[in-house]
Amino acid sequence: MSDNDTAHNGTARGLSSAEVAQRLQQQGSNEVAEETSHPLAVLLHKFWSPVPWMLEVTVILQLMLGKPDEAAVIAMLLVVNAVLSFLQEGRANKALALLRQRLNIQARVLRDGHWQLVPARELVVGDAVHLRMGDIVPADLYLVEGQIQIDQSSLTGESMPVDATAGGDVYSGSIATRGEATGEVTATGARTRFGKTAELVRGAKTVSHLGTMIFGIVKYLVLLDIALVAALLVYAVATGMPLTEVIPFALILLVASVPVALPATFTLATALGALELAKRGVLVTRLSAIEEAAGMDVLASDKTGTITENHLTLVALQPVEGIAENDLLRWAALACDEATQDPIDLAILSAAQARKLLAHPPQRIRFTPFDPQTRHSEALYQENALTHRAVKGAAVEVAALAGAPDVAAEVEALAANGYRVLGVAFGDETTLHFAGLVALQDPPRQDSAALVESLRQLGVRVVMVTGDGQATARTVAKAVGIGERACPARMLTDNTALAITTCDVFAQVFPEDKFHLVEALQHAGHVTGMTGDGVNDAPALKQAEVGIAVSNATDVAKAAASLVLTNPGLTDVLAAVETSRRIYQRMLTYTLNKIIKTFEIAIFMSVGVMLTGVFVITPLLIVLLLFTNDFVTMSIATDRVQFSRKPERWNIPTLMLTAAPLAALVLVLSFSVFFAGRDWLHLPLAQLQTLIFVMLVFTGLGNVYLVRERRHFWQSRPSNWLMIATVLDIAVVSVMASHGILMTAISPALICGLMVLVLVYLVMMDFLKIRIFRRFGLV
């Protein structure tokens, strides 16, 4: 609303800046501090879940067996994992908090005699606030003008909306679903009736695939470990091996199978991605949306303001016989309201003002804004002591309302040129006469065609969804490269399967049709993106895996969406897709590495015991191994990777099948080193266990570099953090092994020789890796 717009002043006089400053000091901000857990409580909670329980039991067993050193190291791993998870979660929450600050609800307020947009948190009692459809009510208000329908379901649980008029109250956090009204603030912050202002960023209930993916991985790995542990226990009983030694070993074996750091690593990777996207004009309201965007293969996009410029101009007037063009345009303008800032209204008003048709406007009695259900707006005026009515909206509906002959053919002819066609009617309170058609044009954005082609090259199909007629929709869709197959919305219910596979454009769509379209695409197995800007788009935005609110969206649409664009158009969606796919590649590296490492450790340790009759590595060294592995693998979240040209999906069986042959190759090296150390170098068991520990550390590092690049591992440069973490890991492990810290010392020459052996073996494996990746579709 412009600074000089005082059309909705009504009886609310508003406040001056000085009054606002004084009341802000007295009343405080219009917000309620969210209850947050004490940081210490959050940290302690990290010790209360199945994986920490297993480590805690192991610590207790080690203490009972008189092994305080082993217990101390395991306890250290427990604490380090908890602290890292706590710090990364805090970093992610801070990142989201910074993003939410950029998504603050705005309110239209009368200040110093001018209407202006201010952050809702700056409202004070006495402020005059104007509401329109799609707004979140920013404070408790007493209405002084207008008529509005309010959805209070999020506050009261009542599903039916309520009507409010001058003299009524509306409450903070409810949603305006129809009409417009002006009110005076009666309470703010904690003093509002419901005690809390509405939050824009709400935790949407969209289910993330991350939990399913982690559970799937753990399920396979734990099943393998249970089988190996069972075999080991049978072997121990059969050979008389002390169970006091076997049980801690078995527990650590199970712990080694759980991707302890995966949730924390994923959180860190997505938080960094969210900050990167914010710099590129995309605000992330929930981190899971980044994961979902990697798999998005269909984007259902609005036409107006996303595919097109959202800047309408009058291009044609087609009055019925006996009506002059200027009269048709004047009636259309009288059915508009500048305060709504609706592009259609502004285009018509601009054309009318250019012809000086509104130099002496009649007195307006009542105005009803455009309603998606009735598909028209309406105004009641008094002129020359007579009451007149002006109606404008969807041409066919307005013509039918006025009892005029069907105008579908005329509408189709104009729409074939890509025009948006409106019908106009005039009359009194009981009778309407059809005045003619008004044609507006909203040309495609210059970047739309390139965007559609770029998304297509990334494997994302763009479908256009619009309330316009089929001819208009088809013209625009063809111009930007979406396609020419335009279908009516009813096809979504008449023949859903055919509609979602053959239609490029859905025309004459109601808001509920968008929701049904998203559901239909999801039921067909698609990961769906949906763009929207209005309050009625909220259900579809929430239902979609990737709900995208465009830059001019209402507060409600932004609240329902998972991504909010800050720049016009949809070009920034490309950034979201590319960034999410990079994050997927990083997490794929982590996951493949974890599976390979678990196969190697679990099979090598358990089978090694059964083949040799001795523990090839101690529980203490396994814990140190987990610690050194996590130190490096968590830096994968910062790795330099390329995004895929196709949508990404987690396929756990495929990952297992890909990891198995790579793990088998590493196992060949592991057993070769063990038997060479025992039979060729004749190392004592304690030194042999140290050698195996160093070998497992080096092969773990090698696995990271092996799987991070789908081509040869030397064809891309890792991130600085990954290389630094690798160098530090090698240095620390080498010093500990050569100086006998927490293990029996081995010679530096042996460590260096082992490093060279692993590097040569890694190069040999890399050629086989590419064939394996191609076989299972990872390249």
Side-chain angles (χ1 to χ4, degrees), residues 133-135 175-177 302 304 372 511 514 531-541 548-550 552-561:
M133 186 175 73
D135 289 346
I175 299 167
T177 57
D302 272 344
T304 305
K514 296 181 180 180
T531 71
D533 60 359
V535 61
N536 291 308
D537 293 330
L541 291 173
I548 303 168
V550 296
N552 62 341
T554 61
D555 293 334
V556 177
K558 290 178 180 178

Side-chain angles (χ1 to χ4, degrees), residues 54 61 116 169 190 230 313 336 380 416 467 554 564 568 607 621 634 675:
M54 295 168 72
L61 283 174
Q116 52 193 282
D169 294 303
T313 56
C336 298
L380 202 63
T554 61
V564 179
V607 174
L621 292 178
M634 290 181 78
F675 287 117

Side-chain angles (χ1 to χ4, degrees), residues 208-444:
S208 168
H209 295 156
L210 176 61
T212 306
M213 185 266 290
I214 294 174
F215 178 77
I217 294 171
V218 172
K219 179 180 69 174
Y220 282 100
L221 298 182
V222 170
L223 285 175
L224 171 67
D225 273 356
I226 288 174
L228 291 173
V229 167
L232 182 59
L233 291 175
V234 170
Y235 172 83
V237 172
T239 59
M241 186 176 288
L243 290 178
T244 53
E245 298 288 336
V246 175
I247 290 176
F249 189 84
L251 274 173
I252 290 296
L253 191 61
L254 287 172
V255 170
S257 304
V258 180
V260 179
L262 179 56
T265 305
F266 196 97
T267 299
L268 176 61
T270 49
L272 293 174
L275 291 174
E276 178 186 340
L277 285 174
K279 295 175 183 177
R280 301 178 69 174
V282 181
L283 305 184
V284 181
T285 63
R286 63 174 185 267
L287 291 180
S288 63
I290 297 181
E291 173 205 346
E292 305 293 357
M296 183 177 72
D297 58 351
V298 177
L299 175 64
S301 173
D302 272 344
K303 177 180 74 70
T304 305
T306 51
I307 300 297
T308 60
E309 291 279 1
N310 195 23
H311 182 69
L312 293 170
T313 56
L314 179 70
V315 290
L317 292 167
Q318 191 169 302
V320 299
E321 187 176 353
I323 301 292
E325 281 193 0
N326 280 355
D327 290 335
L328 170 61
L329 181 56
R330 186 171 187 270
W331 283 114
L334 291 176
C336 298
D337 184 7
E338 185 178 10
T340 66
Q341 297 292 286
D342 181 83
I344 293 175
D345 287 13
L346 293 178
I348 293 173
L349 287 170
S350 176
Q353 288 165 355
R355 299 190 186 193
K356 297 183 170 40
L357 301 179
L358 297 177
H360 303 287
Q363 181 183 357
R364 190 169 74 183
I365 300 171
R366 184 178 70 248
F367 178 75
T368 305
F370 179 83
D371 186 331
Q373 299 300 320
T374 63
R375 296 174 68 82
H376 70 262
S377 61
E378 182 175 324
L380 202 63
Y381 286 91
Q382 190 170 43
E383 189 172 30
N384 300 325
L386 297 175
T387 300
H388 298 282
R389 186 159 51 129
V391 175
K392 91 167 185 321
V396 174
E397 281 80 355
V398 171
L401 191 66
D406 188 15
V407 295
E410 292 90 336
V411 171
E412 192 78 10
L414 288 169
N417 297 316
Y419 299 157
R420 183 159 189 173
V421 185
L422 303 175
V424 179
F426 69 98
D428 55 30
E429 293 184 83
T430 58
T431 307
L432 277 178
H433 306 284
F434 190 65
L437 302 175
V438 174
L440 306 170
Q441 186 178 34
D442 180 16

Side-chain angles (χ1 to χ4, degrees), residues 592-647:
L592 272 174
N593 176 73
K594 180 62 183 178
I595 297 171
I596 294 169
K597 199 66 190 171
T598 300
F599 279 164
E600 179 192 7
I601 294 173
I603 295 174
F604 178 65
M605 290 194 310
S606 54
V607 174
V609 172
M610 291 182 278
L611 283 178
T612 64
V614 298
F615 291 111
V616 295
I617 189 171
T618 65
L620 171 61
L621 292 178
I622 297 171
V623 173
L624 285 175
L625 179 63
L626 294 176
F627 180 78
T628 55
N629 275 348
D630 284 350
F631 177 71
V632 173
T633 54
M634 290 181 78
S635 65
I636 291 172
T638 66
D639 194 20
R640 185 181 289 107
V641 296
Q642 295 295 320
F643 59 85
S644 170
R645 306 299 299 183
K646 61 182 181 180

Side-chain angles (χ1 to χ4, degrees), residues 51-62:
V51 174
W53 292 340
M54 295 168 72
L55 288 172
E56 289 156 9
V57 169
T58 306
V59 170
I60 294 171
L61 283 174
Q62 295 288 9

Side-chain angles (χ1 to χ4, degrees), residues 68-106:
D69 289 345
E70 286 87 343
V73 173
I74 296 170
M76 185 185 302
L77 172 67
L78 185 65
V79 171
V80 168
N81 270 334
V83 170
L84 284 175
S85 177
F86 170 75
L87 292 176
Q88 289 174 2
E89 186 178 290
R91 182 176 181 180
N93 288 337
K94 287 179 181 178
L96 281 178
L98 288 173
L99 299 181
R100 285 174 178 148
Q101 287 178 10
R102 295 177 62 179
L103 289 171
N104 283 334
I105 298 171
Q106 299 286 306

Side-chain angles (χ1 to χ4, degrees), residues 52-216:
W53 292 340
M54 295 168 72
L55 288 172
E56 289 156 9
V57 169
T58 306
V59 170
I60 294 171
L61 283 174
Q62 295 288 9
L63 288 173
M64 292 173 62
L65 294 171
K67 298 182 178 179
D69 289 345
E70 286 87 343
V73 173
I74 296 170
M76 185 185 302
L77 172 67
L78 185 65
V79 171
V80 168
N81 270 334
V83 170
L84 284 175
S85 177
F86 170 75
L87 292 176
Q88 289 174 2
E89 186 178 290
R91 182 176 181 180
N93 288 337
K94 287 179 181 178
L96 281 178
L98 288 173
L99 299 181
R100 285 174 178 148
Q101 287 178 10
R102 295 177 62 179
L103 289 171
N104 283 334
I105 298 171
Q106 299 286 306
R108 297 174 199 81
V109 183
L110 184 61
R111 295 267 178 90
D112 298 319
H114 302 287
W115 287 99
Q116 52 193 282
L117 286 173
V118 302
R121 65 183 303 275
E122 296 178 8
L123 292 180
V124 295
V125 173
D127 261 326
V129 175
H130 182 69
L131 299 174
R132 67 185 187 196
M133 186 175 73
D135 289 346
I136 292 177
V137 179
D140 286 1
L141 304 176
Y142 173 80
L143 299 185
V144 297
E145 181 188 24
Q147 182 174 358
I148 198 165
Q149 189 178 77
I150 294 293
D151 176 5
Q152 297 184 153
S153 59
S154 62
L155 305 176
T156 65
E158 294 294 333
S159 58
M160 295 299 294
V162 297
D163 292 316
T165 58
D169 294 303
V170 293
Y171 301 109
S172 171
S174 51
I175 299 167
T177 57
R178 186 183 299 177
E180 298 193 35
T182 301
E184 187 173 289
V185 175
T186 57
T188 60
R191 292 170 293 279
T192 61
R193 177 168 176 176
F194 291 98
K196 189 174 183 180
T197 56
E199 288 180 42
L200 180 58
V201 183
R202 299 178 180 177
K205 300 302 181 184
T206 303
V207 177
S208 168
H209 295 156
L210 176 61
T212 306
M213 185 266 290
I214 294 174
F215 178 77

